[in-house]
Amino acid sequence: MLEKAYAPDAVEKKWVDAWKEARLFDSAPATDGRRSYTVVIPPPNVTGALHIGHALNNTLQDALIRWHRLHGREACWVPGTDHGGIATQNVMEKQLKAEKLARHDLGREKFLERMQVWVRDCKKTILGQLVRLGCALDFSREAFTMDEVRARSVHHAFQRFYDEGLIYRGSRMVNWCVRCGTALSDIEVESEDRKAKLWRLRYPVKGKPGRYLVVATTRPETMLGDTAVAVHPEDERYKDLHGAEVELPLTGRTLKVVPDAMVDREFGTGAVKVTPAHDPNDYDIWTRHKGEMEGPRPVIGFDGKMLAEGVPAEFVGLPREKAREAVLAALASEAAPDGDPILAGEEDYKHAVSVCYRCQQAIEPLVSEQWFMKMEPVAAKALAAYDDGRFKIYPASWGKPYRNWLANIQDWCLSRQIWWGHRIPAWYCLSCNDLKDKPFMTVKGLKPTVSAEKPAKCAHCGKAGGDFLQDPDVLDTWFSSALWPLSVFGWPERTKDLAFYYPTEVLVTGYEILYLWVARMQMMGLWFEDKVPFPHALIHGIVRDKSGKKMSKSLGNVVDPLVMMDKHGTDAFRFAIVSQAHPGRDIPFAEESVTGPRNFVNKLWNSTRYVLDYALKNEPAPAGGYPLEKLDRAKLSLADRWILARFEAVTAEAEADVAEYNLAAAADTLYGFLWDDFCDWYVELSKPALADPARAEAAKTILVQVLSGTLKLLHPFMPYVTEELWQALKPYAGETAAFAFQAGAPRPTGWKDDEAVAQMRRLIAAVGSIRAIRSILEVPPALKLKAYFMGSNGSAPLLEKHADMVKYLARLESLELASARPPRAAVAVAGTTPIYLPLEGVVEFDKARARLEKAIEKLGKELVKADGMLGNKSFLERAPKEEVEKVKSRRDEAAAEQGFLKDTLAALAAG
RNA sequence: GGGCCGUUAGCUCAGCGGUAGAGCGUCCGCCUUACACGCGGUAGGUCGGGGGUUCGAAUCCCUCACGGCCCACCA
């Protein structure tokens, strides 16, 4: 016997333990021909606890895994975590900072040791949260992007790309994060609108006294590194200055004036100072005018401070921001030859600043030596896979941006100057490479030997057993993430797992990492295995706070999933987020949104209590339970046939929704079925049926089977409560599986029955109509009324046949056929058939009038509309016949009902 | 500067070519023996504006407005 109320805590704990004990979610390659259904988790970074976005992401995956396991696939959901590169290193650096330490105080080795300890704890937290959320993960397969197996995958991939000439070392302008101390790839840079100033600087033109070239800049400190001034080739104002020279203030250096079409004549002064060492555009200008101007002159170092070389002593060593102030001060006091200051103006200006996606600090573009990967050939494969439909994105609207990104792909900067990550498997023979006291980033022409271990001999000089230095940098964390669907199955080894589980089925993730991760997995999978790693990607939105703002610690609007689970139960919380996860939409999460689902859990609980305690009276289950197969269709009641048909239809609907990854729609469909169809109508109608020995057996069977079937369909969304309830129903349902997970989905029963559905719909409407009248006219709820219907066609035969049902549901004393309209009666309708409710002495008629008039008016509008359509020749000729029929019957019903209401009104007035 | 998404009941959102829906909230009435985390009923929308296609448009096309996101080298 079930407790009176559902207690989530105890039940959840019970099943977590039982599932674990049974190793329920462990998977092995099937040998009986069953297909795999594989999902690899987007490995959370080991940066701390999971947030509500993870809860959404993993609930969706869990629902898919459980759904397809119920449908007979060999489901395998691979858990794991990501080492998380810069993000994780930053977490550790913050901890160190609290201890007044920097990573260099510890040294690389000690630092990494500490990281390992942190990672161990963090994994435990994360995996514990996933378990709590109910995730059906195969923990025997837990992987980490930096464990030994994954390291082999990474080294192998690097080696192959290097051998194929796709990975190379080169000098480029890269996005440098001064705070994180590392280069970043282009997609790790975000742009942020910031308030700034636009300053005007006057550069004196050489040989033309009194002539100045005025440049506009947001970064005056970089003027120290200027090597040219650019103007538009067609700009009349400056045509005479092409090839002229200007003097760079504060330094006395000479700059060339170069014409370049990139310059916008409308913006600023139409003249641009060119700093090829610190601006990507300027760098490009230099590449176009190499013979005409000096190349990059770096003035800002990797630490963000002004360099010594070529910088006036007063600025040397100043951080960028301070240097800006100092340079501005100097330019304001520095007089040009005409006596006026060099600094000629300042205006407010808002513009996009490139910032680091991990620390939001302004990016400093710097030229350095880094490892890059040439992406075009790899992207071409992914592009082809997308175009020919081997890879599909849900919702499809993400396809265009995805495609666009691949089509315009840039080389990928792979190396990071941090310690936490896969060390780049490149070694430098000290005979071939002069590395004495030089930062690798500045050494040109290095000759690497690529190898996971210290190489036996140099690939360049062939010297064996020499001294080698391993590249100090690590790989972009996304490089190992990109290999995830391969590496978790042991690739490049030809493992049985790889053969059975790869390619995986679907990748579920948020759109913020579509390029960073999804696209790269596609590229890697196609390049190495010639197969898409997953044919489908389900791209969900971001969970925001209830006002639509992004959740963030600094805003203090973060919702902790654990707290939600504690307060409302895991199932209610899961159902709340899934029902809001409409394809392609962000989710504004309000805690109140868990209330409905919590009530639904309660509803499920009590429906099952009804079936067990009330319908089955807690009697022991007969051998084999109450199978549907034993039902004699000819003996079923209308309600029986109706609920079975509805169940069949709803099952198909939910299946179609899930096939399109529209889990919110599936959840909604099942919610509505259980609550409205099953509880509000079938359960109510089963009460008199159970009291009737001729019908009791069928009612019991249908209650048990439909409810347990619905529980199985809901199990992917709310695993705990459905497990608990399904277990209780199991013997009655005649099921033998140990857990709901293994119980199999409801099979089609063949109970399609359009007639029953149509008839039931009619009777439900009739009951609704009677109830409405009772309620509006304030008939005391407990009072049973007499009712009469008339006619021999329309719904009359149906009412006659199912008078008991209507009587029970509408609280009628009697429902009989009458030959004449009873006096002083209100009227309800069943289609075109009137149901009269004599109300003499029961209510005050005045109250009914206003309401009747309103209803008559409303029906009048409907009639006008329907008549308009039916009077329209084009409609009659061109619309499908069934549509015309629909309108006709709608018109007839409205006309009939309006007639009854008018009669009623007249009758009331007469009284 | 491109591209995408959104604008539907008081709130949060479904629906996306055939009479406007759900949940929550409102209001009225009910402790009717599974459930007051409940039951029954009720009010509330010219589906952002304007054009067009169609027998018919919230749903398709164009355009405008207002939000939001993504991409892009305007100093």
Side-chain angles (χ1 to χ4, degrees), chain A residues 264-284:
Chain A
D264 178 355
R265 277 174 280 187
E266 309 299 318
F267 187 87
T269 59
V272 186
K273 60 189 266 319
V274 181
T275 322
H278 295 293
D279 186 288
N281 296 324
D282 295 2
Y283 187 84
D284 287 347

Side-chain angles (χ1 to χ4, degrees), chain A residues 300-531:
Chain A
I300 302 170
F302 294 108
D303 56 1
K305 292 177 178 164
M306 303 307 283
L307 294 169
E309 206 175 325
V311 173
E314 55 180 311
F315 306 121
V316 173
L318 291 177
R320 296 179 288 177
E321 302 78 11
K322 297 269 183 232
R324 177 175 303 174
E325 291 166 25
V327 167
L328 282 170
L331 290 172
S333 55
E334 174 97 353
D338 62 7
D340 290 334
I342 298 289
L343 183 61
E346 168 185 315
E347 55 187 284
D348 287 333
Y349 182 56
K350 210 170 124 185
H351 72 144
V353 178
S354 293
V355 299
C356 169
Y357 80 140
R358 289 306 183 202
C359 72
Q360 318 303 322
Q361 295 270 314
I363 289 296
E364 187 61 54
L366 288 173
V367 178
S368 67
E369 289 277 325
Q370 303 283 349
W371 285 95
F372 292 94
M373 180 162 160
K374 187 172 159 56
M375 298 305 286
E376 292 99 319
V378 192
K381 286 193 178 248
L383 214 44
Y386 176 77
D387 287 341
D388 65 23
R390 274 175 291 156
F391 175 52
K392 242 181 120 177
I393 299 181
Y394 294 81
S397 50
W398 280 107
K400 215 164 170 177
Y402 172 80
R403 201 189 179 288
N404 189 43
W405 185 77
L406 283 174
N408 297 293
I409 200 155
Q410 303 292 309
D411 283 8
W412 177 7
C413 177
L414 289 177
S415 39
R416 298 289 176 276
Q417 286 66 45
I418 57 172
W419 290 347
W420 180 239
H422 286 281
R423 190 98 174 244
I424 287 178
W427 301 74
Y428 305 99
C429 157
L430 293 185
S431 319
C432 296
N433 298 286
D434 178 16
L435 286 168
K436 252 176 265 155
D437 302 324
K438 288 180 186 163
F440 276 68
M441 277 180 295
T442 62
V443 186
K444 288 189 192 284
L446 281 178
K447 294 175 183 169
T449 301
V450 169
S451 165
E453 302 296 325
K454 184 174 173 180
K457 61 173 190 161
C458 174
H460 299 275
C461 66
K463 187 180 163 192
D467 283 340
F468 285 91
L469 265 183
Q470 184 172 9
D471 198 296
D473 291 351
V474 301
L475 280 167
D476 181 356
T477 188
W478 295 104
F479 189 85
S480 53
S481 314
L483 297 166
W484 188 243
L486 291 164
S487 66
V488 294
F489 297 118
W491 181 89
E493 301 297 320
R494 311 312 304 176
T495 62
K496 277 187 183 151
D497 283 348
L498 192 66
F500 183 72
Y501 294 114
Y502 187 92
T504 69
E505 195 77 20
V506 57
L507 192 280
V508 182
T509 191
Y511 55 75
E512 67 273 20
I513 51 177
L514 185 61
Y515 313 132
L516 282 165
W517 192 43
V518 179
R520 283 165 174 169
M521 284 189 285
Q522 283 289 322
M523 291 190 275
M524 297 284 181
L526 283 160
W527 191 260
F528 291 125
E529 288 295 313
D530 208 29
K531 282 185 205 153

Side-chain angles (χ1 to χ4, degrees), chain A residues 665-688:
Chain A
D668 186 57
T669 298
L670 295 168
Y671 177 100
F673 171 73
L674 192 280
W675 203 310
D676 300 337
D677 292 342
F678 186 75
C679 290
D680 287 351
W681 297 98
Y682 190 74
V683 164
E684 287 314 312
L685 286 170
S686 73
K687 288 173 184 173

Side-chain angles (χ1 to χ4, degrees), chain A residues 580-840:
Chain A
Q580 293 175 91
H582 302 288
R585 312 269 298 168
D586 285 349
I587 299 174
F589 183 84
E591 187 169 349
E592 303 88 77
S593 71
V594 187
T595 307
R598 185 209 53 186
N599 295 351
F600 182 54
V601 168
N602 183 252
K603 191 74 182 173
L604 277 178
W605 185 261
N606 282 297
S607 338
T608 309
R609 273 206 323 139
Y610 167 79
V611 172
L612 292 172
D613 300 356
Y614 188 101
L616 300 171
K617 303 196 168 48
N618 294 306
E619 287 161 0
Y626 294 89
L628 279 176
E629 290 74 16
K630 277 195 180 170
L631 291 179
D632 179 354
R633 184 174 190 137
K635 289 184 184 162
L636 294 184
S637 73
L638 175 61
D640 292 338
R641 285 158 53 209
W642 168 76
I643 197 71
L644 289 169
R646 283 290 302 140
F647 180 61
E648 185 98 338
V650 156
T651 304
E653 210 177 308
E655 256 149 31
D657 289 335
V658 174
E660 283 297 302
Y661 298 106
N662 194 347
L663 299 189
D668 186 57
T669 298
L670 295 168
Y671 177 100
F673 171 73
L674 192 280
W675 203 310
D676 300 337
D677 292 342
F678 186 75
C679 290
D680 287 351
W681 297 98
Y682 190 74
V683 164
E684 287 314 312
L685 286 170
S686 73
K687 288 173 184 173
L690 290 165
D692 177 354
R695 294 190 287 152
E697 192 73 1
K700 284 183 194 174
T701 301
I702 293 168
L703 284 170
V704 166
Q705 294 296 339
V706 172
L707 179 58
S708 72
T710 308
L711 287 171
K712 287 200 286 185
L713 293 175
L714 282 165
H715 181 252
F717 304 95
M718 18 184 42
Y720 293 112
V721 71
T722 52
E723 179 79 275
E724 178 77 6
L725 297 176
W726 178 83
Q727 294 280 354
L729 281 170
K730 185 165 89 170
Y732 301 97
E735 304 230 32
T736 52
F739 297 96
F741 190 65
Q742 306 161 312
R747 289 160 296 148
T749 51
W751 293 106
K752 189 168 169 343
D753 194 332
D754 292 345
E755 188 193 46
V757 170
Q759 291 185 348
M760 197 58 194
R761 188 169 295 149
R762 231 159 215 229
L763 291 170
I764 284 174
V767 169
S769 182
I770 298 169
R771 282 174 175 173
I773 282 172
R774 295 183 57 119
S775 182
I776 288 153
L777 297 184
E778 296 181 11
V779 175
L783 184 69
K784 293 198 166 181
L785 296 176
K786 287 185 173 155
Y788 303 92
F789 59 94
M790 281 181 17
S792 55
N793 50 14
S795 298
L798 194 62
L799 289 171
E800 190 162 18
K801 191 169 176 195
H802 299 287
D804 284 347
M805 177 195 292
V806 177
K807 272 161 63 183
Y808 178 75
L809 293 170
R811 290 198 158 238
L812 299 176
E813 186 187 307
S814 60
L815 175 63
E816 292 164 7
L817 184 62
S819 52
R821 183 193 168 119
R824 312 215 59 179
V827 64
V829 288
T832 54
T833 303
I835 301 172
Y836 295 104
L837 302 164
L839 296 173
E840 183 71 61

Side-chain angles (χ1 to χ4, degrees), chain A residues 118-148:
Chain A
W118 161 258
V119 165
R120 201 178 314 133
D121 292 347
C122 194
K123 276 186 193 168
K124 221 173 125 188
T125 306
I126 289 172
L127 298 177
Q129 281 180 297
L130 291 172
V131 168
R132 175 75 201 280
L133 191 61
C135 295
L137 289 156
D138 178 353
F139 283 101
S140 71
R141 298 176 180 277
E142 188 202 329
F144 179 54
T145 54
M146 237 166 75
D147 61 23
E148 272 183 46

Side-chain angles (χ1 to χ4, degrees), chain A residues 552-568:
Chain A
S552 73
K553 279 181 195 157
S554 54
L555 282 174
N557 58 354
V558 177
V559 175
D560 184 344
L562 279 177
V563 172
M564 291 300 106
M565 290 188 259
D566 285 343
K567 281 171 76 175
H568 310 288

Side-chain angles (χ1 to χ4, degrees), chain A residues 859-891:
Chain A
L859 287 164
K861 279 185 192 160
E862 251 177 63
L863 275 174
V864 170
K865 193 171 175 185
D867 283 335
M869 288 173 85
L870 294 170
N872 183 341
K873 249 176 83 183
S874 305
F875 173 69
L876 296 175
E877 282 165 12
R878 303 203 184 191
K881 226 173 76 189
E882 55 184 49
E883 283 307 322
V884 178
E885 282 309 311
K886 263 196 211 167
V887 175
K888 272 186 185 161
S889 66
R890 207 188 303 150
R891 198 216 87 94

